[in-house]
């Protein structure tokens, strides 16, 4: 069953009415039915414009979590060519929540890694709901080091509510695996780009997100905590998630203004789940543009810029009232 978001219900109802009128027109084409269709089409266009023109941060969070939204492996098929997956971290095992391997994009060879969610119960159990284990982050780092060795750019597609917080992950040192990645990514001598394609949750996102350029899809979010988690702490109830989403400044638009991210990739009207191919084309164009820009930067300058980029996070200036 297709997921329908609350704020989209009036639009979905209007589209269903339009389909019903078109069925009637196919059976009995009259001027009255045709006029009704034209009127309803105009109303849908206006409703669509008002629905999606002023999306709140909470509504964007809902779109980012939509089960029909393209995931990492969807983009690997639609925006990239010849994706060959590499398995295992050479320590514990493989992590299906963090696929990665070699690919090409626009004729360029790259290393592609990212979080992968599932669309049904079976696939979500396989992918652990997009929450990677320590071996996922160690596999990602292994692939990044291979990219450095063969002088290939790294592209990381982020889509996770956070790293897996279970007992097994703690026993295998999930915090150490992420912290180690943060340090090592800062020193890798290759071009690195990360894109938040859906959810960008906490250290789980940052574990593959210390890159030269950070992009976000238009309706993705990137935050130190989920809106529900923030609401539970500050308001003692998850029902205040919309207020928390507003306060967290987690949308691509807010983070771009704050200088946390380097660019916003446009999505089809209403979100990437409405047109996977168009979303993939936008992602491909955005990545190729950034890769071209990074080619002009020398390795030493690249490392210095990467370091200064993350050192600048959190700086603020106090002014006199």
């Amino acid at each position: 069953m297709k997921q329908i978001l609350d704020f989209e219900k009036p639009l979905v109802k209007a589209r269903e009415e339009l389909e019903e009128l078109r069925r009637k027109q196919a059976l009995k084409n009259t001027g009255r039915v045709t006029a009704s269709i034209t009127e309803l089409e105009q109303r849908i266009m206006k409703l669509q414009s008002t629905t999606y023109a002023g999306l709140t941060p909470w509504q964007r969070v809902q779109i980012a979590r939509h089960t029909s939204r393209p995931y990492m492996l969807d983009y690997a098929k639609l925006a990239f060519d010849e994706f060959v997956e590499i398995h295992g971290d050479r320590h514990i095992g493989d992590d299906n929540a963090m696929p990665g391997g070699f690919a090409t994009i626009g004729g360029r060879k790259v290393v592609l890694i990212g979080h992968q969610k599932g669309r049904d119960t079976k696939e979500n159990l396989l992918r652990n709901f997009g929450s990677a284990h320590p071996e996922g982050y160690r596999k990602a780092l292994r692939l990044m080091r291979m990219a450095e060795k063969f002088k290939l750019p790294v592209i990381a597609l982020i889509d996770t509510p956070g790293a897996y917080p279970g007992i097994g992950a703690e026993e295998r040192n999930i915090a150490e695996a992420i912290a180690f990645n943060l340090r090592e990514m800062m020193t890798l001598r290759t071009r690195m780009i990360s894109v938040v394609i859906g959810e960008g949750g906490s250290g789980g996102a940052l574990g593959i997100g210390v890159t030269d350029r950070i992009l976000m899809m238009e309706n993705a979010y990137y935050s130190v905590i989920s809106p529900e988690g923030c609401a539970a702490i500050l308001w003692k109830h998850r029902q205040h998630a919309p207020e928390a989403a507003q306060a967290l400044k987690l949308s691509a638009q807010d983070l771009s203004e704050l200088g946390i991210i380097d660019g916003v990739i446009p999505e089809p009207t209403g979100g990437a789940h409405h047109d996977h191919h168009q979303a993939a084309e936008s992602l491909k164009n955005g990545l190729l543009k950034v890769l071209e820009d990074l080619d002009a930067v020398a390795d030493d300058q690249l490392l210095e810029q990467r370091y200064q980029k993350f050192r600048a996070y959190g700086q603020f200036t106090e002014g006199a009232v």
Side-chain angles (χ1 to χ4, degrees):
M1 185 176 178
K2 186 177 179 180
Q3 180 185 2
I4 300 174
L5 303 176
D6 288 341
F7 64 90
E8 290 183 312
K9 287 179 179 178
L11 186 57
V12 171
K13 184 178 179 181
R15 286 172 176 162
E16 289 174 349
E17 290 175 7
L18 180 61
E19 288 302 312
E20 182 62 29
L21 282 174
R22 284 174 174 164
R23 281 193 290 270
K24 288 182 179 179
Q25 185 185 44
L27 295 172
K28 188 177 181 181
N29 190 359
T30 66
R32 185 176 179 181
V33 173
T34 301
S36 297
I37 288 175
T38 302
E39 181 183 348
L40 188 53
E41 284 175 339
Q42 292 174 348
R43 184 158 66 89
I44 287 173
M45 288 180 64
K46 185 177 180 180
L47 186 59
Q48 182 173 281
S49 177
T50 55
T51 299
Y52 298 124
L55 291 172
T56 66
W58 176 240
Q59 287 171 337
R60 293 191 189 278
V61 169
Q62 291 176 288
I63 294 175
R65 294 171 174 171
H66 200 286
T67 54
S68 296
R69 193 173 176 84
Y71 294 149
M72 182 266 186
L73 290 177
D74 296 317
Y75 284 120
K77 293 177 183 176
L78 298 174
F80 295 81
D81 305 305
E82 304 177 72
F83 176 61
V84 178
E85 189 172 352
I86 305 297
H87 297 274
D89 69 340
R90 301 285 177 88
H91 291 283
I92 299 294
D94 195 27
D95 186 355
N96 290 313
M98 185 81 79
F102 296 100
T104 59
I105 180 170
R108 298 191 54 151
K109 297 176 182 178
V110 299
V111 165
L112 174 65
I113 57 175
H115 303 97
Q116 174 66 24
K117 295 179 178 178
R119 287 202 167 85
D120 55 35
T121 303
K122 183 178 179 180
E123 191 179 0
N124 266 318
L125 290 174
L126 174 67
R127 302 293 181 181
N128 205 39
F129 296 86
S131 294
H133 292 80
E135 45 270 30
Y137 290 97
R138 292 181 180 125
K139 176 173 67 174
L141 182 58
R142 181 167 82 89
L143 287 167
M144 292 179 202
R145 284 173 169 162
M146 290 174 71
E148 180 184 41
K149 178 179 180 179
F150 296 113
K151 302 187 184 305
L152 300 175
V154 173
I155 295 175
L157 303 184
I158 297 168
D159 189 11
T160 181
Y164 184 58
I167 294 174
E170 293 291 344
E171 289 174 342
R172 299 191 299 280
N173 299 315
I174 184 69
E176 185 273 343
I178 292 174
F180 193 73
N181 276 24
L182 303 187
R183 188 188 74 180
E184 294 301 299
M185 291 180 77
M186 195 64 73
T187 63
L188 288 172
R189 300 179 71 85
T190 192
R191 281 95 187 112
M192 304 173 71
I193 306 169
S194 56
V195 186
V196 185
I197 60 173
E199 293 188 273
S202 193
L206 199 58
I208 58 170
V210 179
T211 55
D212 301 301
R213 298 290 185 271
I214 303 171
L215 308 177
M216 286 180 68
M217 298 297 288
E218 183 181 352
N219 293 304
Y221 81 88
Y222 197 18
S223 176
V224 70
I225 191 172
S226 70
E228 294 90 341
C230 178
I233 293 170
L234 296 184
W235 286 277
K236 310 302 180 187
H237 202 290
R238 293 162 64 94
Q239 71 181 15
H240 293 281
E243 296 101 301
Q246 183 74 37
L248 284 166
K249 302 291 183 183
L250 45 66
S251 70
Q253 295 71 25
D254 286 333
L255 293 172
S256 181
E257 289 180 12
L258 292 169
I260 301 298
I261 65 170
D262 302 293
V264 180
I265 297 175
E267 296 185 21
T269 302
H273 58 286
H274 287 292
D275 192 333
H276 287 201
H277 289 276
Q278 187 180 336
E281 188 66 21
S282 292
L283 176 64
K284 181 177 181 178
N285 293 336
L287 287 171
L288 289 175
K289 176 63 171 63
V290 174
L291 282 171
E292 184 180 347
D293 294 342
L294 291 176
D295 284 341
V297 185
D299 285 354
D300 290 338
Q301 186 181 357
L302 196 73
L303 290 175
E304 179 61 21
Q305 288 180 0
R306 191 186 303 162
Y307 176 77
Q308 294 300 336
K309 174 184 179 66
F310 285 90
R311 286 290 293 174
Y313 283 1
Q315 291 184 3
F316 64 94
T317 303
E318 291 188 26
V321 178

